[in-house]
Amino acid sequence: MDRMLNFNGAIVPERDIIEALNLAKDMRLKSIYRGIHPVALRIALKYALAVDDMFAKQQLSPEQEKAINRYVQQLLKDVEKMRQ
């Protein structure tokens, strides 16, 4: 059975989070492979995040957003530890 993560009432299968993170990583790798300028990719990512934030405000509670932010911060800390 899949491990389920609770983001303040939003129950998400861990495998879905892993798959979504892999999609984001694949996008970055594909852009490098295709020779897309890093600034162009950064613009696209910031645009996608801004649009997602717009929709998230309609679909997520402030508490869920805070729980997601804590999870992402922990992911970033884990990456920093691996880089050292």
Side-chain angles (χ1 to χ4, degrees), residues 29-36:
L29 291 173
K30 284 181 181 179
S31 73
I32 292 168
Y33 175 75
R34 292 180 180 180
I36 296 172

Side-chain angles (χ1 to χ4, degrees), residues 69-83:
N69 289 337
R70 283 191 301 271
Y71 185 81
V72 169
Q73 289 304 313
Q74 186 58 52
L75 288 175
L76 292 171
K77 286 179 186 176
D78 293 346
V79 168
E80 275 301 313
K81 286 179 188 175
M82 290 189 309
R83 295 181 74 197

